[in-house]
């Protein structure tokens, strides 16, 4: 899976998790939502591990960096091909 | 505290430079019903909110609004990245250009963002009603923006943000029910 496709997958899973989190805050006894939440977060975590192993960290100060410092590597999420750098 | 995630909540890939669109979309960055105000409103109200459900709702929606602020900023940046001074002038952004260059600044229509845009009243019922109205105002603004946007690269994320206002409004309404039940048990106002 290339970088964009994998990041798109993580973005979609994380969004599902955020939306379910909001739902569960006011519907904490909804078993179906809780099951989907648990399943979604597990999938997002696996996809995140795969992405970070190939393309660098998505979150700072969470995992050891190894020999280099890829955190500052571009692209940042707001950049497009016209962004100056 | 917060941890930064090096990705947008909704991806932004705008191919066409169009400063005139940035000029109106910045309304949702630093305007009266924009995402900066939304985030600070909810994150500030958390401290005096009651019930676990309503506190978590304010905390998590306030956090999501920061991600929306980043989306709106990214849209405005990509619409103006590499714009020429002439393009800025043609879009009626000459004053913005003189003041900020191509920088992204939380102001709209010449008015800088102000704390007067948000309320934190210290009354859980009042604050939640305020927030339901705020979500509806933001939804209206996104719909007015969609009336004026043709580029699907720009319209798609704006539609996503509009939809989130609807969901947040729903969650605040549910939180209000919990707070009403809680306060109804705890506090009675009656004449002696």
């Amino acid at each position: 899976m290339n970088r964009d496709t994998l990041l798109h997958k993580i973005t979609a899973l994380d969004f599902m998790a955020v939306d379910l989190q909001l739902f569960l805050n006011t519907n904490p006894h909804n078993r179906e939502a809780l099951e989907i939440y648990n399943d979604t977060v597990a999938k997002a975590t696996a996809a995140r591990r795969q992405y970070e192993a190939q393309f660098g960290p998505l979150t700072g100060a969470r995992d050891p960096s190894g020999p280099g410092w890829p955190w500052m590597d571009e692209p940042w999420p707001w950049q497009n091909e016209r962004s100056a750098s | 505290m917060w941890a930064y995630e090096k990705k947008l909540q909704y991806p932004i890939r705008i191919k066409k430079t169009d400063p005139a669109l940035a000029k109106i979309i910045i309304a949702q960055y630093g305007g009266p019903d924009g995402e900066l105000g939304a985030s600070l409103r909810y994150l500030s109200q958390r401290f005096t909110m009651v019930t676990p459900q309503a506190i978590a709702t304010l905390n998590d929606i306030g956090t999501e609004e920061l991600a929306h602020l980043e989306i709106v900023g990214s849209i405005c940046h990509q619409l103006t990245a590499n714009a020429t001074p002439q393009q800025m002038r043609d879009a009626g952004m000459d004053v913005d250009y003189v003041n900020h260059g191509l920088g992204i600044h939380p102001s709209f229509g010449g008015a800088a963002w102000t704390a007067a845009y948000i309320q934190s009243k210290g009354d859980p019922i009042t604050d939640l009603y305020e927030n339901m109205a705020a979500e509806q105002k933001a939804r209206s603004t996104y719909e007015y923006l969609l009336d004026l946007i043709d580029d699907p690269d720009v319209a798609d994320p704006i539609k996503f943000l509009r939809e989130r206002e609807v969901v947040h409004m729903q969650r605040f309404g549910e939180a209000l029910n919990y707070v009403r039940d809680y306060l109804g048990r705890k506090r009675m106002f009656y004449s002696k």
Side-chain angles (χ1 to χ4, degrees):
Chain A
M1 216 181 283
N2 70 29
R3 183 183 188 131
D4 277 357
T5 311
L6 191 49
L7 192 59
H8 194 273
K9 180 181 172 183
I10 296 166
T11 300
L13 288 166
D14 280 356
F15 169 63
M16 274 185 73
V18 164
D19 196 39
L20 286 159
Q21 182 177 330
L22 293 187
F23 180 82
L24 284 161
N25 282 339
T26 46
N27 302 273
H29 304 300
N30 188 308
R31 311 255 342 156
E32 188 189 0
L34 190 59
E35 278 172 29
I36 302 171
Y37 175 84
N38 287 337
D39 180 57
T40 304
V41 169
K43 283 180 181 152
T45 303
R48 188 181 306 269
R49 281 208 193 94
Q50 189 190 342
Y51 180 96
E52 292 188 319
Q54 279 181 267
F55 305 112
L58 282 171
T59 305
R62 183 172 291 172
D63 299 303
S65 183
W69 188 244
W71 171 247
M72 65 179 180
D73 289 352
E74 296 185 341
W76 289 90
W78 56 86
Q79 293 178 327
N80 67 359
E81 66 280 359
R82 295 192 302 282
S83 299
S85 182
Chain B
M1 73 158 285
W2 280 265
Y4 184 71
E5 295 243 5
K6 209 171 169 180
K7 62 182 176 59
L8 297 178
Q9 194 191 22
Y10 191 100
I12 304 298
R13 288 283 166 76
I14 293 167
K15 294 183 272 299
K16 184 168 171 277
T17 299
D18 191 345
L21 279 187
K23 183 184 181 178
I24 54 173
I25 292 169
I26 201 78
Q28 285 304 89
Y29 195 79
D33 304 311
E35 303 290 355
L36 176 61
S39 183
L40 291 182
R41 179 185 302 114
Y42 308 147
L43 295 179
S44 298
Q45 291 174 357
R46 293 178 301 171
F47 299 108
T48 49
M49 187 46 65
V50 293
T51 79
Q53 294 85 357
I55 293 169
T57 298
L58 283 175
N59 185 77
D60 295 347
I61 295 181
T63 299
E64 188 181 346
E65 306 292 17
L66 280 177
H68 295 176
L69 182 72
E70 187 182 34
I71 291 173
V72 176
S74 298
I75 292 171
C76 292
H77 165 65
Q78 293 192 15
L79 285 168
T80 53
N82 283 2
T84 64
Q86 186 62 46
Q87 281 177 306
M88 295 295 278
R89 195 206 311 256
D90 291 346
M93 290 189 75
D94 46 351
V95 173
D96 305 81
Y97 184 73
V98 168
N99 214 358
H100 305 290
L102 298 179
I104 301 299
H105 183 259
S107 57
F108 173 58
W113 189 87
T114 162
Y117 291 161
I118 69 169
Q119 280 296 340
S120 180
K121 200 68 177 173
D123 180 316
I125 299 275
T126 308
D127 281 348
L128 288 170
Y129 271 111
E130 173 80 19
N131 301 349
M132 291 166 74
E135 295 291 336
Q136 294 291 19
K137 285 186 276 184
R139 178 186 57 76
S140 301
T141 302
Y142 280 124
E143 289 176 7
Y144 298 145
L145 282 171
L146 285 166
D147 289 337
L148 298 170
I149 297 169
D150 293 322
D151 184 348
D153 290 348
V154 183
D156 287 349
I158 297 293
K159 286 178 192 164
F160 169 82
L161 293 168
R162 177 206 165 274
E163 186 66 32
R164 296 310 291 157
E165 308 300 339
V166 178
V167 172
H168 292 172
M169 158 84 188
Q170 175 75 25
R171 298 287 92 86
F172 280 130
E174 291 166 356
L176 179 61
N177 286 336
Y178 283 101
V179 169
R180 264 213 205 94
D181 286 351
Y182 172 77
L183 293 180
R185 285 203 308 273
K186 284 270 292 190
R187 293 164 70 176
M188 298 287 279
F189 295 99
Y190 54 90
S191 50
K192 287 179 180 165

